[in-house]
């Protein structure tokens, strides 16, 4: 039993790395066609980007089925993926994007850092030059703001280059 719990916990932690890499290199790469909807205002309950959750859910279900058919430890890996998906749903869809009636806005600590970092990710509307691709971990907000300021100063108009403190990229209030 202890091995199974350990496998679930290691899988949850590993999923953050896998999700971060998938977000950066797939969703903001060749998979932008689905993910683009997440960087635009949502017009209904669902967005095309939700298909990524379906893909991960199907994979978790297959692993759980194979594991319960005798291929240990696959069901526990699938259970860890499912636990990560539940945490993602609560933190990302609930806390950050308010996709369900979860109106809490963190004012300090880890959740504020996570919330602000993801909002900074959405300040950039294209697939390039975004920051903070993790879902349950983020670099310090000050570092993300500095990266965005530097990018804005390099790529924006001459006025933006004169004012490296440009206000637009450091405001995490946008979707």
């Amino acid at each position: 039993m202890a091995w199974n719990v350990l496998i679930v916990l290691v899988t949850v932690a590993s999923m953050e790395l896998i999700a971060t890499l998938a977000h950066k290199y797939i969703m903001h790469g060749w998979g932008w066609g689905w993910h683009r909807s997440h960087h635009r205002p949502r017009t209904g309950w669902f967005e095309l980007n939700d298909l990524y959750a379906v893909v991960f859910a199907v994979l978790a279900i297959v692993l759980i089925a194979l594991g319960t058919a005798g291929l240990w430890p696959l069901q526990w890996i699938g259970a860890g993926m499912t636990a990560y998906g539940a945490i993602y749903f609560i933190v990302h869809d609930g806390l950050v994007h308010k996709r369900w009636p979860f109106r809490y806005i963190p004012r300090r600590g880890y959740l504020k850092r996570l919330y602000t970092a993801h909002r900074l990710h959405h300040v950039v509307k294209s697939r390039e030059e975004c920051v903070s691709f993790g879902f349950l971990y983020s670099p310090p907000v000050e570092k993300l703001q500095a990266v965005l300021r530097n990018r804005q100063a390099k790529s924006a108009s001459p006025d933006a280059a004169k004012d490296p403190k440009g206000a637009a990229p450091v405001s995490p209030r946008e979707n």
Side-chain angles (χ1 to χ4, degrees):
M1 179 62 128
W3 282 110
N4 298 340
V5 171
L6 181 62
I7 290 167
V8 169
L9 295 175
V10 167
T11 301
V12 169
S14 298
M15 281 304 300
E16 176 63 6
L17 176 61
I18 291 165
T20 299
L21 294 173
H23 187 195
K24 185 171 186 175
Y25 296 108
I26 295 173
M27 296 175 191
H28 280 257
W30 56 267
W32 179 249
W34 284 4
H35 189 63
R36 178 186 303 120
S37 66
H38 186 62
H39 284 263
R40 294 185 172 160
R42 193 175 51 259
T43 57
W45 281 90
F46 298 102
E47 53 192 43
L48 193 57
N49 182 69
D50 293 334
L51 290 174
Y52 285 112
V54 173
V55 168
F56 278 112
V58 167
L59 181 56
I61 290 166
V62 168
L63 290 173
I64 291 169
L66 290 172
T68 56
L71 295 175
W72 183 89
L74 296 184
Q75 76 259 34
W76 302 109
I77 295 170
M81 289 177 68
T82 302
Y84 181 85
I87 295 166
Y88 171 89
F89 176 71
I90 293 166
V91 173
H92 179 266
D93 289 353
L95 178 69
V96 176
H97 289 290
K98 311 289 188 241
R99 288 185 70 177
W100 44 278
F102 188 49
R103 300 294 173 216
Y104 174 72
I105 297 177
R107 302 288 180 220
R108 63 182 181 277
Y110 165 76
L111 288 178
K112 171 142 176 98
R113 176 174 160 172
L114 193 63
Y115 177 86
T116 304
H118 196 76
R119 301 301 263 174
L120 288 170
H121 174 79
H122 282 272
V123 167
V124 178
K125 296 301 181 192
S126 69
R127 72 183 192 177
E128 293 89 14
E129 300 191 8
C130 288
V131 294
S132 189
F133 291 91
F135 295 109
L136 301 179
Y137 168 78
S138 71
V141 170
E142 297 77 22
K143 288 184 180 183
L144 299 174
Q145 290 171 325
V147 168
L148 286 169
R149 278 191 214 105
N150 288 337
R151 288 180 181 167
Q152 182 191 36
K154 288 179 184 177
S155 66
S157 69
D159 293 333
K162 290 178 190 174
D163 181 14
K165 294 182 182 179
V170 296
S171 174
R173 300 304 283 158
E174 292 184 40
N175 183 16

